[in-house]
Amino acid sequence: MSSWETGRAWSVEEIELDPPQQNEVLVRIEAAGMCHSDDHVRAGDGYAALPTIGGHEGAGVIEQVGPGIEHLAVGDHVVFSFLPACGRCRWCASGRSNLCDYGQFLMEGSMISGGYRAHARGKDVGTLSLVGTFSERTVVHETSIVKIDPDIPFEVACLLGCGVPTGWGSAVNIGKVRPGETVVVVGIGGIGANAIQGARMSGAQNIVAVDPVAFKTDQAKILGATHTAASMEEAMGLVQDVTRGVMADVAVCTIGVVEGRMIQPFLDLVSKGGRAVLTGMARNVDDQATLGLQMFALFEKSLLGTVYGGCNPRADIPRLADMYRTGKLQLDELVTRTYSLDQINEGYADMLAGKNIRGVIVNQF
């Protein structure tokens, strides 16, 4: 499933795949989540070297290992991590592997060790986020996969590579939600749904889900939201009532396409000393934000950026899988519909129309 130029639909075509090289593995992909970030690349809102095989959420089974692989074997079930973790750079060594220096390769398409493993139309084809999960098989570097237990269904395991940890961690790691606090989540898709779960699991007393689509706010209630609103404007009055005028302790913005004009109303949702977490992606040309600097300083508010929700993929993907296994983390409820690989454009049309919390591509072998 590749994109050759921005603004065009995904194309489904045959590719040639080289065998894995040093520290690489060949994975048969069983399921792949359809995240909005991939559509940013297709639409041209986010940069990636083209042509590229899309997809950065996925789970599958190792079919072949290259030289140098010591801790993975054929038959292992794995989740792709859209950010690699080398374990050696300053960021990995200090427990912040979501900022691993290997991230510099994410949008270039080529392998960490150099070159390409996929080819089509007589050209080299890159893999988005070094994984390219919109395919039947892919060759990836060992730093981009995490082994999981085989009892976790692929359809939900694939979500552990991006949407679940990014949303969950936005509330837990970056927002640092504490018991009894009030949390607002703006934008209830695959990321926002898990920010709600993170807030719930952290003991938030009030969780306000904000989205104009009634289907999504209904699903938010299943995941732990206590209140819902159709817009930030509507949420303002609701949060004032719920908190007796204090406003929320934490707000998480997971809107599909964030715009600079949204920042001030988003900040208005949090109290003095409140934490506002910006997780959603903006267009790469949007570099202006509306922000009342005086009140921002005087009210001691925090505006926090995050990637991967501050999660450590090697530690947090298995941990989140365990939470699912014990019933603490809801994953089945996130998958609205499954699609075949050749239904990718239908799946993204459904996502943009607000029909899905998360659509998942399931490969049939």
Side-chain angles (χ1 to χ4, degrees), residues 62-211:
I62 294 178
E63 288 193 330
Q64 186 178 353
V65 299
I69 297 294
E70 297 180 353
H71 304 293
L72 297 167
V74 172
D76 283 349
H77 288 211
V78 294
V79 168
F80 295 89
S81 173
F82 85 94
L83 280 168
C86 73
R88 297 180 296 274
C89 70
R90 169 187 175 180
W91 309 106
C92 286
S94 59
R96 303 179 70 187
S97 60
N98 62 310
L99 299 177
C100 178
D101 282 342
Y102 274 180
Q104 65 185 297
F105 299 106
L106 284 186
M107 298 305 174
E108 296 304 320
S110 60
M111 302 294 290
I112 288 173
S113 52
Y116 297 82
R117 305 297 174 263
H119 317 278
R121 305 185 194 179
K123 296 183 178 181
D124 294 330
V125 180
T127 50
L128 192 64
S129 294
L130 299 172
V131 293
T133 59
F134 293 165
S135 55
E136 293 184 337
R137 288 173 173 81
T138 188
V139 172
V140 298
H141 196 270
E142 63 178 341
T143 56
S144 292
I145 53 174
V146 176
K147 183 179 176 179
I148 61 167
D149 292 330
D151 63 314
I152 307 297
F154 291 114
E155 288 181 20
V156 295
C158 68
L159 307 181
L160 296 173
C162 174
V164 175
T166 299
W168 184 87
S170 293
V172 176
N173 297 330
I174 309 302
K176 300 187 185 303
V177 176
R178 295 186 285 265
E181 290 191 323
T182 293
V183 179
V184 180
V185 179
V186 184
I188 312 303
I191 308 295
N194 291 292
I196 289 171
Q197 296 211 74
R200 183 197 78 227
M201 295 171 71
S202 296
Q205 180 173 335
N206 302 302
I207 303 173
V208 180
V210 182
D211 200 287

Side-chain angles (χ1 to χ4, degrees), residues 258-305:
V258 179
E259 298 177 7
R261 63 179 178 82
M262 300 174 180
I263 300 302
Q264 187 58 61
F266 175 57
L267 278 168
D268 288 341
L269 291 168
V270 299
S271 64
K272 290 183 286 187
R275 290 96 69 195
V277 181
L278 183 60
T279 308
M281 286 183 63
R283 295 181 175 90
N284 54 15
V285 295
D286 191 349
D287 59 0
Q288 302 293 320
T290 302
L291 177 61
L293 295 175
Q294 187 178 82
M295 299 311 294
F296 178 72
L298 291 176
F299 281 3
E300 208 172 80
K301 297 185 181 185
S302 299
L303 179 60
L304 304 160

Side-chain angles (χ1 to χ4, degrees), residues 344-357:
I344 179 95
N345 292 301
E346 179 185 351
Y348 270 107
D350 287 346
M351 183 205 72
L352 294 171
K355 296 180 179 179
N356 291 343
I357 295 296

